[in-house]
Amino acid sequence: MLSPRIVSLAGGRSLVAGLAMVASLATVSAHGQSLAPEHEIRRLMLATEEAVSAERWGEASEYLNRLQKMETEKPADYFYYRGRAMLQAGHLNEARAALEAYVSRAGVDGKHYQQSLKLITDIEKENRANVRALANGNGEAKEPVAIIEPAGGQELKSLRQLYLADSDREALTIHLNALLETAGWRRDKTVVRLDRPADIRYRVSVANGNLNIQEITRNTDDTTVRKSVSLPVFGVNPQPRWDCEPAVGACWIYDPRDGSRLFQLAQSRNQVNEIALTLGRLIRNVQQGSSGS
């Protein structure tokens, strides 16, 4: 039978060995990797491929984030898997950028070339459906959509081509609603969640020579209140006035009829200026006649 002293020593050595192993593992974790960068990239790529194939998107995103932080050149497949993960998360523009990067690097011989082209086409269709839904007042942008800037100096023909619109008026309406969706006012200005609509947002439509403006306010209990106002455009100044107040973290576009506040928007002077310019162009278009051309 071992004496208590020997048992104590044996237990102490076992404890020390265990602590040494934990410390060793912690050291490896703290340094992020123990393999040379080229081997670590290969390991993480294999892990990413397996996670994507099994549709374990949270796990795939973790590996992709670790790959992104590595300064070593990534293989082309990294961009394909990043595109897949971004698409799954609903970040359409980032997904498209990653997939286009894959196509550019891998070329026609790439393993995922055909699939990437198909996904890029799907993203394009969904983005166009988003902005057209905004124009009709029955959709919400999942994320800031591709926008031609600045609209004030952009040929209307380009806007019509971008939005597949049948008229200048339709293109301007879609463009205005897309801009308004990205500039919605939020109470919490520190974190912007793309899956959560702004606290105050607007949609504009045109009917019978008027601009119909719907204000959608989201309360703190997630209930919504909708208010509508009709803005007759004939005889009003087609260049609305706007300004920003940093003290309250908001910008306003003013009603051209009486100078009252018409839109309450996020504090972004460039965005608000662009919205005011586009609104003015739409007003002028309606003032010029009912054809909508």
Side-chain angles (χ1 to χ4, degrees):
M1 179 175 179
L2 295 176
S3 67
R5 179 172 181 276
I6 294 175
V7 171
S8 176
L9 285 172
R13 291 192 189 98
S14 177
L15 177 61
V16 169
L19 290 173
M21 180 177 293
V22 170
S24 176
L25 291 172
T27 300
V28 170
S29 175
H31 285 85
Q33 61 183 62
S34 57
L35 296 172
E38 62 269 23
H39 302 307
E40 180 69 0
I41 284 180
R42 184 178 292 273
R43 181 183 76 83
L44 291 173
M45 283 298 300
L46 288 170
T48 301
E49 180 180 10
E50 182 179 347
V52 170
S53 297
E55 297 187 351
R56 298 193 299 269
W57 299 108
E59 186 178 323
S61 296
E62 179 186 344
Y63 293 133
L64 287 164
N65 287 337
R66 291 166 66 181
L67 281 162
Q68 185 179 16
K69 294 175 183 177
M70 299 182 68
E71 297 180 357
T72 311
E73 182 73 16
K74 281 85 169 173
D77 281 5
Y78 160 80
F79 296 96
Y80 170 74
Y81 293 126
R82 180 175 174 80
R84 289 283 307 276
M86 286 293 176
L87 184 57
Q88 180 66 25
H91 301 313
L92 303 185
N93 294 334
E94 290 191 44
R96 178 168 184 164
L99 291 167
E100 288 178 346
Y102 168 79
V103 169
S104 175
R105 286 165 171 77
V108 296
D109 295 326
K111 178 181 177 182
H112 308 290
Y113 176 77
Q114 298 286 351
Q115 178 65 9
S116 294
L117 293 181
K118 181 181 181 302
L119 290 174
I120 290 170
T121 301
D122 291 343
I123 291 169
E124 183 180 78
K125 290 178 180 177
E126 187 164 353
N127 260 337
R128 285 179 173 173
N130 259 351
V131 293
R132 291 182 72 86
L134 286 171
N136 296 329
N138 57 8
E140 298 175 0
K142 294 184 178 179
E143 62 174 293
V145 296
I147 292 173
I148 295 177
E149 297 179 351
Q154 185 69 34
E155 291 294 331
L156 285 173
K157 180 179 178 182
S158 297
L159 286 179
R160 289 173 67 163
Q161 290 174 343
L162 174 66
Y163 297 123
L164 301 178
D166 296 326
S167 67
D168 293 345
R169 183 175 303 170
E170 182 185 8
L172 286 168
T173 304
I174 294 173
H175 190 60
L176 177 60
N177 281 312
L179 289 167
L180 287 169
E181 187 73 16
T182 64
W185 183 84
R186 298 174 185 270
R187 295 182 186 87
D188 185 355
K189 300 170 181 60
T190 58
V191 178
V192 176
R193 290 176 49 187
L194 296 175
D195 61 340
R196 189 176 180 85
D199 296 305
I200 299 178
R201 52 203 170 98
Y202 301 88
R203 290 179 183 145
V204 176
S205 60
V206 179
N208 301 321
N210 297 336
L211 297 189
N212 297 319
I213 302 169
Q214 184 180 63
E215 179 184 280
I216 306 161
T217 302
R218 183 167 60 87
N219 299 318
T220 54
D221 60 358
D222 277 341
T223 59
T224 58
V225 176
R226 298 172 183 262
K227 295 190 301 182
S228 295
V229 60
S230 181
L231 171 60
V233 301
F234 295 105
V236 304
N237 186 345
Q239 189 48 64
R241 187 172 62 88
W242 66 272
D243 67 10
C244 296
E245 295 185 19
V248 296
C251 294
W252 283 273
I253 294 177
Y254 297 99
D255 192 319
R257 297 170 297 179
D258 57 14
S260 60
R261 291 172 175 173
L262 186 62
F263 295 106
Q264 179 178 336
L265 303 169
Q267 187 183 335
S268 172
R269 298 185 66 87
N270 289 338
Q271 278 188 316
V272 175
N273 179 60
E274 181 65 16
I275 290 169
L277 288 172
T278 306
L279 176 61
R281 296 182 81 190
L282 181 59
I283 289 174
R284 282 193 296 271
N285 178 278
V286 179
Q287 287 176 338
Q288 289 167 359
S290 60
S291 64
S293 60

